[in-house]
Amino acid sequence: MIANVLITDDDADYRETLCDALSRRGLSLHQARDGDEALAVIEREPIHLALVDVHMPRVTGLEVIRVLSERSAPMPYILMSAMMDEEIEREAARMRAYKILHKPIRLKVLRDIVCGGLAETYGWRPS
């Protein structure tokens, strides 16, 4: 199985950094610049895991994971932010976010979390 991972962040350089960090794991990487674009990608692609920034224009990261939490098929989603607060963390936990990460995120830690989420949910192993 080739796992499809969606990286959603309004910072293009940060999205590219995360793509570079995950590209050597045998993943198919998709990008979205905001929550609205992320939801469109999720509708047309079989996404297996989503990395979602909290603070984005148009549709926020919390709104994206709210939609994902209502889906019948399980999908791990990881919420990330440089400005995380307790209220956001509680809301993300209530919606069963796989992980909640505070930026800056160490890339090795991120790779391990993404691979762990895919392994736990789908039995996926990196190539």
Side-chain angles (χ1 to χ4, degrees), residues 7-63:
I7 299 169
T8 306
D9 199 298
D10 56 335
D11 181 334
D13 291 335
Y14 192 70
R15 283 195 319 268
E16 284 300 321
T17 298
L18 296 185
C19 281
D20 289 346
L22 295 171
S23 65
R24 293 175 292 281
R25 294 286 187 231
L27 303 167
S28 176
L29 301 169
H30 303 265
Q31 295 185 43
R33 64 179 161 233
D34 61 38
D36 194 43
E37 203 172 278
L39 293 173
V41 170
I42 289 164
E43 285 304 312
R44 71 174 185 264
E45 300 289 339
I47 299 299
H48 299 102
L49 182 140
L51 287 159
V52 184
D53 185 35
V54 173
H55 303 286
M56 295 181 293
R58 299 194 299 172
V59 176
T60 70
L62 281 175
E63 291 168 319

Side-chain angles (χ1 to χ4, degrees), residues 76 98-99 113-125:
Y98 178 71
K99 293 286 180 187
I113 289 170
V114 167
C115 291
L118 292 168
E120 286 177 34
T121 307
Y122 309 102
W124 177 87
R125 296 286 176 243

Side-chain angles (χ1 to χ4, degrees), residues 72-93:
S72 59
M75 175 203 302
Y77 40 89
I78 299 164
L79 196 66
M80 47 188 187
S81 179
M83 297 183 295
M84 191 73 70
D85 63 33
E86 288 180 21
E87 184 178 334
I88 292 170
E89 286 192 37
R90 277 194 304 274
E91 184 69 8

